Amino acid sequence: MYDVFSLPAIRFPEGFVWGSATAGHQIEGDNIHSQAWHNEQQPEFYRDDPERATRAPSGKACDHFRLYRDDVELIASLGHRAYRMSIEWSRIEPVEGRWDHRALAHYLDLLERLVRKGIQVFVTLHHFTHPLWFERLGGFGKADNRRFFERYLTFLLPQISPMVSGWNVINEFNQWGGLTAGPTVAPLKFNMLRTHALGYHLIKRYSSAPVSSAHAFIHWFPRRFHDDLDRRMTDFADFTTNEFFFHALRTGELVYPGVDAEYDPEVKGSLDFWSVNYYTRHMVDARLAGLDGPRFAHKLLQMIPIRFYLEEMYPEGLTANLERLRDYPVYITENGCCADDDRFRIVYLALHLSALHEALERGVDVRGYFYWSLMDNYEWTTFIPRFGLVAVDFQTFRRSPKTSALFYREIIRDNGFGGETVRRYLDALPTLPGPVA
Ligand code: BGC
């Protein structure tokens, strides 16, 4: 484990934006008109997965839809200056073409309360979930369906814009379709780029706040460093998940393996900042069908008993990858780890913030950082991974800030930290539990 107690003291630039992030479906509860809710009720959802015993429906999640007033107080009490949240399209338009004004009023109240506390709000307009009716019409798989998203945004944006300090049109579509090449995935990727561009230009009509779409920035690395095939396939993995997205937004060229490139002037330059979600690194093995290789045992973060979350913590990847994004300001819109032992979170935070600071020193214009996540929440199929700075009791919905939340509050207050700060919140480095069967 890295020696976080000896980290040199660092300070962040004046006005650096500090906050945390969440997504509607993961915290609100009873998101009954969404396709995600519907899927969670199907028997297939609990099959086809080696870890199906861990699966659960979102149910009440953190009951945030009801408890949002208290949660605003909580965010403020933790010293956060910014908050990234998403708005559930399926609540506002539960039936095609019909607006639920009460749902809209709810979000307006939430936004107003945050703004009144002096918290900058970054809004994600699509964080994996959308109305079931939209899904049934083919969702984003059909290019023509963009008009539904456009109609929704045209309704929503003028009402919320005055309260929004930053925008994510869509969350992490760059990784949809995984590492697959060719005509099965490319149309969706291209359609999402165009949906992003549509959102970008619409927002510009109502808001002067910066706009982007959050990018899942995966750091790929070859299993055998000197193996030419592993290296080439690492480039391929990087291209299909990362570079195609950067290239398209920079140039308007939609380039993806297996299909002819297209040019779309609307996509070109459709961003005001790079929105980076960074977690871990992944190994590429050219000899495996899925390319996604095993994890290095000595680098595993064995923090919870789910194999999928045995990830390789790699803070250096944050520095290296941010260096690719020098042409626009950058916000880290997600970064965090799931661990039952909160001491891992303190280590993870300390190391990633140091890596981020290194990128700043190398001249990358990083403007802010949002920890994922404000509170333990519904991790899409399960409640087991705990990413929160705040613990949630899923029976009583009681919130209890963890030590990492206090550590983070001090970092925000001082606009920096060092090994000395870590020492005050961490008595000893956490030990890894035994191997997961
Ligand atoms: C997503 C979040 C998710 C987090 C942790 C990100 O890819 O945007 O919704 O909870 O990763 O897995």
Side-chain angles (χ1 to χ4, degrees), residues 110-131:
L110 168 57
L111 291 168
E112 274 162 20
R113 282 168 190 268
L114 288 162
V115 170
R116 254 186 270 132
K117 291 273 178 201
I119 294 164
Q120 293 188 40
V121 191
F122 278 49
V123 166
T124 307
L125 296 165
H126 185 280
H127 195 121
F128 300 157
T129 47
H130 48 237

Side-chain angles (χ1 to χ4, degrees), residues 22-23 26 84 127-128 171-172 175 214 216 277 279 308-309 311 334 336 338 372-373 377-380 385 387:
T22 60
Q26 295 180 265
R84 174 177 174 242
H127 195 121
F128 300 157
N171 186 57
E172 296 190 346
Q175 62 162 346
N277 295 356
Y279 286 89
F308 177 73
Y309 286 95
E311 301 285 17
E334 284 182 34
C338 54
W372 182 273
S373 182
N377 58 42
Y378 182 61
E379 178 57 19
W380 298 109
F387 280 90

Side-chain angles (χ1 to χ4, degrees), residues 81-147:
R81 310 266 164 76
Y83 178 57
R84 174 177 174 242
M85 53 168 268
S86 75
I87 291 181
E88 286 296 330
W89 177 7
S90 65
R91 286 189 189 274
I92 297 198
E93 193 180 2
V95 177
E96 200 233 296
R98 259 197 247 149
W99 310 120
D100 183 332
H101 291 275
R102 282 184 58 189
L104 176 68
H106 166 94
Y107 285 116
L108 292 176
D109 189 38
L110 168 57
L111 291 168
E112 274 162 20
R113 282 168 190 268
L114 288 162
V115 170
R116 254 186 270 132
K117 291 273 178 201
I119 294 164
Q120 293 188 40
V121 191
F122 278 49
V123 166
T124 307
L125 296 165
H126 185 280
H127 195 121
F128 300 157
T129 47
H130 48 237
L132 180 58
W133 63 259
F134 179 72
E135 180 75 6
R136 289 197 163 139
L137 291 173
F140 287 115
K142 262 200 206 156
D144 185 45
N145 285 348
R146 283 205 298 272
R147 67 198 160 94

Side-chain angles (χ1 to χ4, degrees), residues 146 150 169 190-205 211 247-254 262-272 328:
R146 283 205 298 272
E150 180 173 12
V169 182
F190 288 7
N191 192 36
M192 293 321 293
L193 284 165
R194 291 191 163 106
T195 310
H196 157 80
L198 178 136
Y200 177 87
H201 296 293
L202 263 179
I203 291 168
K204 290 286 151 191
R205 287 196 207 152
V211 188
H247 185 81
L249 264 56
R250 283 171 171 145
T251 66
E253 264 194 336
L254 281 48
E262 295 173 21
Y263 176 72
D264 191 329
E266 297 287 306
V267 175
K268 181 175 181 176
S270 60
L271 77 160
D272 304 316
Y328 289 90

